Amino acid sequence: QAPIKATCEDMSCKTGFPEDVHSAVVSRSVHGGQPLLNVRFQSCDGNKKIHFGSSEPEDFRVGEDGVVYAERSFQLSAEPTEFVVSAQDKETQQEWQMRVKLTPEPAFTEASEKDQRKIEEIIFPWQQYKHSSPLKRQKRDWVIPPINLPENSKGPFPQELVRIRSDRDKSLSLRYSVTGPGADQPPTGIFIINPISGQLSVTKPLDREQIASFHLRAHAVDVNGNQVENPIDIVINVIDMNDNRPEFLHQVWNGTVPEGSKPGTYVMTVTAIDADDPNTQNGMLRYRILSQAPSSPSPNMFTINNETGDIITVAAGLDREKVQQYTLIIQATDMEGNPTYGLSNTATAVIAVTDVNDNPPEFTAMTFYGEVPENRVDVIVANLTVTDKDQPHTPAWNAMYRMTGGDPTGRFTILTDPNSNDGLVTVVKPIDFETNRMFVLTVAAENQVPLAKGIQHPPQSTATVSITVIDVNESPYFVPNPKLVRQEEGLMAGSMLTTFTAQDPDRYMQQTSLRYSELSDPANWLKIDPVNGQITTTAVLDRESIYVQNNMYNATFLASDNGIPPMSGTGTLQIYLLDINDNAPQVHPKEATTCETLQPNAINITAVDPDIDPNAGPFAFELPDTPASIKRNWTIVRISGDHAQLSLRIRFLEAGIYDVPIVITDSGNPHASSTSLLKVKVCQCDLNGDCTDVDRIVGAGLGTGAIIAILLCIIILLILVLMFVVWMKRRDKERQAKQLLIDPEDDVRDNILKYDEEGGGEEDQDYDLSQLQQPDTVEPDAIKPVGIRRLDERPIHAEPQYPVRSAAPHPGDIGDFINEGLKAADNDPTAPPYDSLLVFDYEGSGSTAGSLSSLNSSSSGGEQDYDYLNDWGPRFKKLADMYGGGDD
């Protein structure tokens, strides 16, 4: 029975679109990716793979589920939009077509809102179940047309939008809900649904500029939460209202336009944006110019494209020299520029008129004057001033100067002052007054960029420069300089050599003749006559002199005039000295060494002659006839024109030093010869020919240089030893002087002056106080007045004799130290007073008391006579009262 049922089913089912034309109403503004409608396609075989297509693929796209989406954002026209949707079986390639007609929804009104509120109802698509098969098949879902809701609605809220219900709510108790952004997702709570009635409502005003559309999904479940219907998508589009003004991207726009631009020249573009929907009139902007300042030469110099914001020129006459800047007030209005319903905003456009070279430079005078001293360079002789009405410090204003005549030799150049734009006429080559006394230059002024088209240079762009050359006193000059003279050497002193004169270029100055003098004569060989410049010799000219280089001797002479100021010039005299045979050859080297036996170790010698060819080599070498021992012991053989060999003639010659005379003759005409002594050291040699007789070689003596070096070393060593001895003696004296600097607490003088003590206490008993006594240098009584005596002077009356106390031995170094200090103080006339020991009163000698601290002792008080204390002055008055005056 199954095949029969299948046949029956196929006979009742027809594959394809259920209708040939499908009409749908959509919003006028379509956004890219927005779902528009759902096309229904009936397939009798559920396994068929259907591919949907669109005849307008650039505008519409059909998904695999039959949903038609917008490919781009656009505005539907008032007329219906038609396109074809096709369905093709991928296996059989069978194709079905359906025409779709989209009609834009009418303008939103309050009446339509009320009607919509009343009747709009969304019903879940129904499902069909097959009782004879476990499989179920449902109708394809359709797309619910979007719900359009105006923004900024005033309510009241919650505001009902649409009712959602299922056709199964008659048999089941259903619950409705919505999900998605705006419902249960942020921003939550904007849309709510009555779970019983399915009434969908909005709770607050919407703002399209924040969220332009909401995509919700509606659900229907039974009381147990089981889904009874497939969810359906609900799209809520927020309808734009004109609630935003246009806003310019910048409040001030800056642009430029060259002066003299033709009408229609593009200047700049201003741009404003509107947050409202740009696909509606709310976001469609229009631009216009409200005002122009200044209004010259025309109040309408510019215009603006009302849609793009492009500003262009519409009138001629832009002149930067008259108007440098224009200020425009630009207005942008939405609602396509409707002044009644549109919102507006303004911005400022500042247009700077840029400079072009429409003004040539013009000289301020037709002729300029200047003067320059002759022979001066890098001197500014004239300033050329020009005026230019173009913008300063631009290529159209910067001037360049060009000489068109009057300077064929290029002695002048004209530089431009970058600050003042003046032309600086400068001398670059020396000018001779005697040749040119005046120059008349023709100068043209131009700019760095060419003049604008149609503008010519006026006559004022050309000027004349008259330059006068001033005559100055110039230096004399020798002719020729340098002067070359060829002369044989040996010219005797007082001989006339040549005449070397100078010329004065100042032909127009009244001056006396020139005066000559020597400036440089290294060998002092020459003398010049101060009047006529005749040069004579003062010494013999010698080519072999150290002042002659490469046979050339140079001397410099000075020529001076008597101008104001006086000037002078120099000239060089070059004397090329020709060689004569005035020098005899000499042997080289002067010393040699050989062995005492006849061995092949001959001595090589060379002849040296300061002369040059032909007065030099080849040379002839020979030994003199006397003394006879020379030729008996030695022999000489020439090996070349300048070299010879000296060797022993005999088998053995005793070791020692021998002077061998050698006669050398040159090739000059006439010949010159000389006898040179060669000092030969004969020594004992080993098998290798090296000297081994060291003692004899040493005995032969050292060279002069070695002896001088040894003597210098000895003298330096003696000087170092002497300096060391002097330094040691000075160090000992400084050490002795430092011993006198004792610690202030141990200074006996300070203690006595501070505490008026004549003794140092018990601790001083070990010292010999007699060392403090002043030497016996008392002045005679006849010299001093009677009754006058120093308080610290030794008494002159008879001293009482004290028994000598057997004092304990004292340290000798302390006594020596005190004696040395006393001598140093007595012998030093510059020593201050406190360095003298005379500040202490004389205490006498032979005292049995060890110190003044023993004065209160009663053991020896009765045995002493202290009456003499009354004669010691007021310092000892207290002691005299205590111990003197008898028993009481």
Side-chain angles (χ1 to χ4, degrees):
Q1 296 178 353
I4 298 175
K5 288 186 178 181
T7 303
C8 295
E9 183 177 350
D10 292 339
M11 293 176 63
S12 62
C13 177
K14 183 180 179 180
T15 301
F17 291 103
E19 51 189 354
D20 295 334
V21 178
H22 180 78
S23 299
V25 179
V26 296
S27 60
R28 183 180 299 270
S29 299
V30 178
H31 302 281
Q34 175 183 341
L36 302 177
L37 70 154
N38 189 357
V39 295
R40 290 180 294 170
F41 183 84
Q42 186 174 355
S43 176
C44 298
D45 187 359
N47 295 327
K48 284 191 175 186
K49 296 181 180 180
I50 304 300
H51 173 70
F52 295 97
S54 170
S55 62
E56 303 291 339
E58 67 276 4
D59 294 332
F60 305 99
R61 174 177 59 86
V62 185
E64 295 297 330
D65 54 356
V67 179
V68 180
Y69 297 91
E71 276 292 288
R72 62 182 181 88
S73 299
F74 58 91
Q75 195 83 5
L76 290 177
S77 62
E79 299 297 328
T81 301
E82 296 184 2
F83 63 97
V84 176
V85 175
S86 61
Q88 185 180 26
D89 189 343
K90 293 184 178 180
E91 295 180 357
T92 64
Q93 300 299 320
Q94 186 177 1
E95 185 174 348
W96 299 268
Q97 292 184 349
M98 179 182 67
R99 189 160 51 90
V100 178
K101 181 186 293 184
L102 298 180
T103 304
E105 63 183 3
F108 179 81
T109 60
E110 293 184 0
S112 62
E113 182 184 7
K114 293 179 181 178
D115 296 340
Q116 185 181 14
R117 262 191 236 152
K118 281 189 221 175
I119 63 174
E120 189 161 1
E121 188 176 76
I122 298 176
I123 301 176
F124 281 92
W126 55 270
Q127 296 177 343
Q128 180 180 6
Y129 296 91
K130 293 183 179 180
H131 301 287
S132 60
S133 174
L135 300 176
K136 68 176 182 178
R137 185 179 63 185
Q138 66 179 24
K139 293 177 61 179
R140 185 177 297 276
D141 296 343
W142 61 78
V143 177
I144 305 301
I147 300 174
N148 297 319
L149 183 63
E151 65 173 333
N152 303 325
S153 175
K154 297 182 180 179
F157 297 101
Q159 178 181 341
E160 298 178 354
L161 300 180
V162 70
R163 182 185 177 197
I164 300 173
R165 75 176 184 85
S166 172
D167 54 0
R168 302 184 63 185
D169 60 354
K170 297 177 181 179
S171 59
L172 297 174
S173 176
L174 303 181
R175 296 293 184 268
Y176 301 98
S177 62
V178 291
T179 59
D184 62 341
Q185 298 177 19
T188 60
I190 296 179
F191 299 97
I192 59 174
I193 189 171
N194 189 312
I196 305 298
S197 63
Q199 183 66 47
L200 181 64
S201 304
V202 62
T203 61
K204 57 194 298 188
L206 302 180
D207 188 357
R208 191 204 67 85
E209 286 70 42
Q210 294 183 357
I211 302 178
S213 63
F214 295 88
H215 296 266
L216 305 178
R217 175 164 286 192
H219 306 270
V221 298
D222 58 14
V223 294
N224 295 324
N226 297 320
Q227 179 178 320
V228 297
E229 299 283 4
N230 288 337
I232 60 174
D233 293 330
I234 301 176
V235 177
I236 302 175
N237 292 328
V238 183
I239 301 176
D240 184 43
M241 305 295 289
N242 192 17
D243 57 345
N244 291 280
R245 291 182 178 274
E247 295 291 340
F248 284 91
L249 296 181
H250 305 286
Q251 193 59 35
V252 178
W253 296 79
N254 295 298
T256 59
V257 60
E259 62 175 332
S261 297
K262 296 180 179 180
T265 302
Y266 171 80
V267 180
M268 61 190 299
T269 299
V270 296
T271 304
I273 58 174
D274 196 319
D276 293 327
D277 190 354
N279 297 314
T280 65
Q281 291 184 344
N282 299 333
M284 295 181 180
L285 306 181
R286 297 295 182 266
Y287 301 93
R288 70 190 186 100
I289 298 176
L290 296 182
S291 64
Q292 168 192 309
S295 59
S296 61
S298 171
N300 298 315
M301 297 294 295
F302 304 93
T303 186
I304 188 171
N305 187 311
N306 63 347
E307 293 186 1
T308 62
D310 294 341
I311 300 176
I312 60 176
T313 61
V314 293
L318 291 173
D319 190 353
R320 190 203 65 85
E321 287 72 35
K322 295 179 179 179
V323 179
Q324 299 182 1
Q325 179 176 289
Y326 289 92
T327 302
L328 308 180
I329 303 300
I330 310 298
Q331 183 187 61
T333 307
D334 58 16
M335 297 298 290
E336 295 183 319
N338 190 318
T340 303
Y341 302 103
L343 301 177
S344 302
N345 211 337
T346 60
T348 302
V350 179
I351 302 175
V353 181
T354 58
D355 188 36
V356 298
N357 193 13
D358 57 347
N359 293 280
E362 298 180 1
F363 285 99
T364 58
M366 296 303 297
T367 303
F368 295 88
Y369 298 92
E371 59 182 20
V372 58
E374 63 174 331
N375 300 322
R376 294 283 299 277
V377 294
D378 297 330
V379 178
I380 298 175
V381 298
N383 277 23
L384 311 182
T385 56
V386 295
T387 59
D388 196 320
K389 297 179 182 179
D390 291 322
Q391 184 175 358
H393 305 291
T394 62
W397 179 83
N398 296 334
M400 298 188 304
Y401 299 90
R402 179 172 53 90
M403 282 183 290
T404 59
D407 185 23
T409 57
R411 299 184 180 274
F412 300 92
T413 187
I414 303 179
L415 305 177
T416 302
D417 189 324
N419 296 321
S420 64
N421 214 25
D422 292 347
L424 308 178
V425 182
T426 308
V427 181
V428 294
K429 292 183 180 179
I431 302 175
D432 187 8
F433 173 82
E434 286 71 25
T435 304
N436 299 100
R437 298 189 182 185
M438 178 176 289
F439 290 87
V440 178
L441 310 178
T442 303
V443 181
E446 300 173 349
N447 292 121
Q448 292 180 350
V449 294
L451 288 174
K453 187 176 181 180
I455 300 177
Q456 302 296 329
H457 284 280
Q460 291 80 6
S461 296
T462 303
T464 300
V465 183
S466 179
I467 300 175
T468 303
V469 182
I470 302 174
D471 189 18
V472 297
N473 187 23
E474 299 177 79
S475 300
Y477 60 93
F478 285 86
V479 179
N481 190 15
K483 183 176 182 179
L484 178 63
V485 176
R486 300 175 66 88
Q487 177 65 44
E488 283 189 353
E489 65 173 328
L491 184 64
M492 302 306 295
S495 302
M496 190 271 185
L497 182 62
T498 186
T499 300
F500 197 21
T501 58
Q503 298 179 6
D504 193 342
D506 298 312
R507 299 193 301 268
Y508 301 99
M509 287 188 176
Q510 299 297 328
Q511 296 182 144
T512 59
S513 60
L514 302 178
R515 304 287 294 181
Y516 301 96
S517 60
E518 296 89 0
L519 184 62
S520 174
D521 184 12
N524 294 322
W525 287 348
L526 306 175
K527 178 181 67 173
I528 188 170
D529 187 278
V531 177
N532 57 23
Q534 191 176 65
I535 298 176
T536 56
T537 59
T538 59
V540 178
L541 303 184
D542 185 8
R543 192 197 66 84
E544 290 74 31
S545 172
I546 60 174
Y547 301 104
V548 177
Q549 301 294 331
N550 297 325
N551 302 330
M552 191 75 70
Y553 178 76
N554 294 323
T556 306
F557 298 94
L558 187 71
S560 304
D561 61 18
N562 61 345
I564 300 176
M567 301 297 292
S568 61
T570 60
T572 301
L573 177 65
Q574 295 181 336
I575 305 175
Y576 187 85
L577 294 175
L578 303 176
D579 185 39
I580 62 174
N581 196 12
D582 57 345
N583 292 280
Q586 299 291 327
V587 68
H588 180 79
K590 297 292 185 180
E591 297 179 357
T593 303
T594 187
C595 298
E596 61 184 359
T597 60
L598 182 60
Q599 294 182 1
N601 57 350
I603 301 172
N604 293 326
I605 60 175
T606 302
V608 178
D609 194 335
D611 293 326
I612 60 177
D613 289 337
N615 299 318
F619 300 97
F621 300 88
E622 59 181 346
L623 298 176
D625 295 333
T626 57
S629 60
I630 298 300
K631 286 190 174 183
R632 183 175 63 252
N633 296 336
W634 305 91
T635 181
I636 188 168
V637 178
R638 190 179 76 169
I639 59 178
S640 66
D642 298 337
H643 305 283
Q645 282 187 346
L646 179 68
S647 58
L648 286 175
R649 180 183 293 273
I650 59 178
R651 293 181 178 275
F652 176 81
L653 183 64
E654 185 179 356
I657 299 177
Y658 298 87
D659 290 333
V660 180
I662 300 175
V663 179
I664 304 176
T665 305
D666 60 20
S667 301
N669 187 15
H671 300 297
S673 64
S674 66
T675 301
S676 300
L677 288 180
L678 176 65
K679 186 181 293 294
V680 181
K681 297 179 182 180
V682 180
C683 61
Q684 296 179 1
C685 299
D686 56 12
L687 296 178
N688 298 325
D690 299 328
C691 287
T692 58
D693 194 358
V694 179
D695 295 336
R696 295 188 180 183
I697 295 176
V698 173
L702 297 174
T704 304
I707 296 176
I708 294 176
I710 294 174
L711 292 177
L712 288 176
C713 293
I714 295 174
I715 293 173
I716 293 174
L717 182 62
L718 293 177
I719 292 175
L720 291 176
V721 172
L722 180 61
M723 292 175 62
F724 180 75
V725 172
V726 172
W727 177 76
M728 290 297 296
K729 288 185 173 292
R730 179 173 296 180
R731 184 178 178 185
D732 292 341
K733 290 183 179 180
E734 291 178 355
R735 184 184 295 109
Q736 294 176 3
K738 287 182 180 179
Q739 293 178 356
L740 297 176
L741 302 176
I742 58 177
D743 189 84
E745 295 182 358
D746 299 332
D747 194 348
V748 180
R749 298 165 298 174
D750 290 345
N751 290 337
I752 296 175
L753 290 176
K754 184 175 181 180
Y755 301 106
D756 293 335
E757 294 179 358
E758 283 87 9
E762 300 295 340
E763 298 177 354
D764 293 337
Q765 292 181 2
D766 295 336
Y767 294 97
D768 185 6
L769 296 180
S770 63
Q771 298 294 336
L772 298 176
Q773 295 178 3
Q774 182 181 4
D776 297 333
T777 57
V778 182
E779 298 178 0
D781 294 341
I783 300 176
K784 300 179 64 176
V786 179
I788 298 177
R789 183 174 62 86
R790 282 170 42 188
L791 298 178
D792 57 353
E793 185 178 353
R794 181 176 179 176
I796 59 176
H797 57 78
E799 297 179 358
Q801 299 295 325
Y802 300 100
V804 178
R805 178 176 59 89
S806 59
H810 61 80
D813 56 347
I814 295 179
D816 296 338
F817 170 75
I818 295 177
N819 285 332
E820 292 178 0
L822 178 61
K823 291 179 181 179
D826 290 339
N827 297 328
D828 188 3
T830 62
Y834 57 79
D835 285 338
S836 175
L837 297 179
L838 297 178
V839 297
F840 307 109
D841 283 347
Y842 184 76
E843 296 181 356
S845 60
S847 174
T848 59
S851 66
L852 297 179
S853 60
S854 301
L855 294 177
N856 57 355
S857 175
S858 59
S859 61
S860 61
E863 301 174 0
Q864 299 289 339
D865 182 9
Y866 298 102
D867 292 338
Y868 64 87
L869 294 175
N870 292 320
D871 299 329
W872 282 18
R875 294 186 180 183
F876 298 90
K877 180 174 177 56
K878 187 65 175 177
L879 294 176
D881 294 339
M882 293 173 60
Y883 294 94
D887 296 337
D888 55 349

